[in-house]
Amino acid sequence: MAEHGLRKWIITITVIMASLLELIDTTIVNVALPQIMGNLGATLEDAGWLVTGYAVANVIVLPMSGWLGDRFGRKNYFMASIILFTIASILCGNATGLYELIVFRILQGLAGGGLLSTAQAILIETWPREEVGMATALFGLGAVVGPTVGPTIGGYITDHFNWPWIFYVNIPVGALAAFLVSMFVKESPQYAKGQPIDWWGIAFLAIGVGSLQVVLEKGESEDWLATPYIAVLIVSTIVAAVAFIWRELSTDHPVVNFKILRFRSFSVGILTSFALGFALYGSVFIFPVFCQNLLGFSAQQTGELLFPGGMATICMMPVVGMMLKRGIPAQLMSTIGFVLFFIFSWMLSNSTLESGTGNFFWPLIIRGIGMSLLFVPLTTLAIQDLHGKDIGQGAGLNNMMRQLGGSFGIAILTTLIHIKSGINRNILLENINPYNPAFAEKQQAFIQGFQSKGYSAFDAQQMANKAVEGSVIKQTMLVTYDNIYLLVGVFVLCCIPLVYLQKFKKNVALPVDAH
């Protein structure tokens, strides 16, 4: 039964607050890795498992969250996830060794996986069915803004405090969210209570999805099939995925109910959610690396650049929700969102080594507006036909596909950057020869510049060669990043036809559970 008045808004703020805990912690650790490595005496490869372990645990629980909510009740499961996440945050902050911290991060990821989809399901049930677009928009504030502001918050905390505080900040928020859930959220029916547990399904899911996530997180840095454990994990992913699908289709009480794929809008919607994750997480991954490694921006400058785009998303989300409520087709809005995201990518693909902070303001504003026009309509289209216990299952699968889309996006883009940089370097080196007037002029200018500072002819020649090599590296990476930005833009344009395979509805309304 839908809520009204002050209670509805308290529940809304509570579930958004809880989901933000999980979403911000997905990226907040990244910028603190150097300090953690220094304090705990870890290598970058070992410290990377702090991110990988969290992501693997998170993506394993996401598709199961609907079943867990049905078995224990959404309120109980949601509150338990918040409490466990808060306790895990305390343990992470108090960790005295790297492996201890990795274990606690995995625990945090397991708890976090239950926050996102359960929060969305509770929010959909809380709002009247004719206002589900607005509910999705409010949920989208956390889902889109969280990964964007995570590095900014992490950078600020790391610069001004010690790294444990990136975990300690979760404590008051988690405690308040748990209290408000206990006071205001009503319990939903426990559809799966008393049913046998699908242990085989859980095992196959954990092995398949967990192996896939590790492959995506570590594959490029480990040179893919050249590393034995990556090859084993790829085989494990395929075998476990086949076994999981067979198990879930043959058992009477599956942990993930694939029967919801009979709804065309949902089956197409998980593909568009995958595309959204690819664009959202892929662009968030590329941009800070591009700004800091190539243009020399500080972490704080990069965070400040991302902030206005995040604010644009925040301001637009309620507007998009109202547009959906007034009957504007979700397909039309998502098409505009894809086009805006392409414009953002195209503008960044024209970046130069002279680009400054002012050159990125409008592209990031356009991206922020585009993301609001994508997340809300795409999520609404995906879940428009779901009701009852299908809402929790659908929310879990939809969020998992967005998460996997991000993981695939980062893995693919990282690999492409590696490949394209080699190709672009070879192309540029073709012009580095004494018969090229432009190169000869540039090299001579370097030599004369160093000689004017008092260096000998031999030293000036050596330094000029190094300066040329530095220019080649910078130009190579610039062309590579520009190519990748354009590739992401073309990818999102190719996704537009998918949304027109979903049903057109005015005033999208979801049947909700009765309490």
Side-chain angles (χ1 to χ4, degrees), residues 281-291 413 417 481 484-485 488:
Y281 290 96
S283 59
V284 167
F285 163 74
I286 296 173
F287 185 74
V289 177
F290 170 69
C291 288
L413 294 178
I417 288 171
Y481 281 116
I484 295 298
Y485 281 129
V488 173

Side-chain angles (χ1 to χ4, degrees), residues 116-136:
L116 196 60
S117 300
T118 313
Q120 188 176 14
I122 290 172
L123 199 60
I124 290 171
E125 291 180 332
T126 299
W127 282 67
R129 60 181 65 185
E130 67 274 8
E131 297 180 3
V132 69
M134 180 62 75
T136 305

Side-chain angles (χ1 to χ4, degrees), residues 430-461:
E430 292 177 359
N431 299 306
I432 306 299
N433 62 77
Y435 305 105
N436 183 345
F439 165 71
E441 182 181 345
K442 184 75 172 178
Q443 187 183 43
Q444 193 60 37
F446 278 132
I447 293 173
Q448 291 175 358
F450 289 125
Q451 286 182 325
S452 68
K453 294 179 181 178
Y455 292 98
S456 67
F458 177 79
D459 289 340
Q461 178 70 47

Side-chain angles (χ1 to χ4, degrees), residues 15 24 31-32 37 43 105 112 129 131 147 194 229 291 325 422 502:
V15 298
I24 290 176
V31 293
M37 289 161 54
T43 64
R105 275 288 284 175
R129 60 181 65 185
E131 297 180 3
Y229 90 85
C291 288
K325 185 179 178 181
Q502 296 171 292

Side-chain angles (χ1 to χ4, degrees), residues 11 36 46 158 208 267 298 304 312 326 375 389 407 470:
I11 294 173
I36 293 173
D46 290 336
T158 304
S267 57
S298 66
E304 290 170 354
R326 293 183 179 180
F375 184 89
K389 63 180 181 180
S407 298

Side-chain angles (χ1 to χ4, degrees), residues 58-392:
N58 201 262
V59 82
I60 287 173
V61 173
L62 272 172
M64 290 195 294
S65 58
W67 173 79
L68 289 167
D70 289 343
R71 186 167 187 85
F72 300 107
R74 281 187 197 135
K75 176 180 178 177
N76 293 334
Y77 176 53
F78 190 54
M79 188 159 62
S81 296
I82 295 172
I83 293 171
L84 181 60
F85 190 92
T86 307
I87 292 172
S89 298
I90 297 172
L91 294 173
C92 285
N94 288 328
T96 56
L98 180 67
Y99 296 111
E100 184 182 348
L101 181 56
I102 290 173
V103 170
F104 295 146
R105 275 288 284 175
I106 292 172
L107 183 64
Q108 198 181 39
L110 291 172
L115 292 176
L116 196 60
S117 300
T118 313
Q120 188 176 14
I122 290 172
L123 199 60
I124 290 171
E125 291 180 332
T126 299
W127 282 67
R129 60 181 65 185
E130 67 274 8
E131 297 180 3
V132 69
M134 180 62 75
T136 305
L138 293 171
F139 175 78
L141 289 177
V144 175
V145 176
T148 303
V149 302
T152 307
I153 297 173
Y156 180 84
I157 292 174
T158 304
D159 287 345
H160 295 85
F161 304 93
N162 292 325
W163 65 263
W165 282 98
I166 65 176
F167 300 111
Y168 291 151
V169 292
N170 295 331
I171 298 172
V173 180
L176 177 60
F179 171 75
L180 292 174
V181 169
S182 68
M183 295 297 295
F184 294 98
V185 175
K186 291 181 180 178
E187 188 53 272
S188 63
Q190 299 179 24
Y191 295 104
K193 186 177 182 180
Q195 294 179 359
I197 298 175
D198 180 19
W199 291 112
W200 280 110
I202 293 173
F204 290 141
L205 174 66
I207 294 170
V209 176
S211 298
L212 175 61
Q213 188 69 22
V214 173
V215 168
L216 294 174
E217 294 272 345
K218 294 291 186 179
E220 202 279 332
S221 62
E222 298 285 1
D223 200 19
W224 298 106
L225 292 173
T227 305
Y229 90 85
I230 294 294
V232 170
L233 288 177
I234 291 174
V235 175
S236 299
T237 299
I238 296 170
V239 173
V242 172
F244 175 68
I245 293 171
W246 170 80
R247 172 68 184 179
E248 298 310 277
L249 294 177
S250 60
T251 185
D252 293 330
H253 305 289
V255 68
V256 175
N257 183 13
F258 285 120
K259 291 180 181 178
I260 62 174
L261 293 175
R262 70 186 184 276
F263 297 112
R264 187 182 67 190
S265 287
F266 179 75
S267 57
V268 175
I270 60 175
L271 296 178
T272 56
S273 291
F274 182 91
L276 178 64
F278 189 106
L280 171 61
Y281 290 96
S283 59
V284 167
F285 163 74
I286 296 173
F287 185 74
V289 177
F290 170 69
C291 288
Q292 293 177 50
N293 291 357
L294 195 60
L295 301 183
F297 294 176
S298 66
Q300 185 170 342
Q301 281 179 307
T302 306
E304 290 170 354
L305 277 177
L306 292 168
F307 185 74
M311 291 303 298
T313 303
I314 291 173
C315 294
M316 279 296 297
M317 283 290 191
V319 176
V320 174
M322 288 188 288
M323 291 166 68
L324 280 172
K325 185 179 178 181
R326 293 183 179 180
I328 297 176
Q331 284 88 344
L332 175 61
M333 283 189 281
S334 57
T335 299
I336 296 172
F338 279 127
V339 171
L340 288 177
F341 198 92
F342 169 77
I343 293 172
F344 152 77
S345 301
W346 175 78
M347 292 176 75
L348 259 62
S349 73
N350 292 304
S351 299
T352 69
L353 293 175
E354 285 71 44
S355 296
T357 55
N359 296 101
F360 299 115
F361 178 81
W362 285 112
L364 290 169
I365 292 291
I366 291 171
R367 176 189 178 275
I369 296 172
M371 274 299 166
S372 64
L373 288 166
L374 283 172
F375 184 89
V376 182
L378 291 181
T379 305
T380 303
L381 285 170
I383 62 178
Q384 63 181 332
D385 292 330
L386 305 184
H387 57 85
K389 63 180 181 180
D390 290 341
I391 294 177

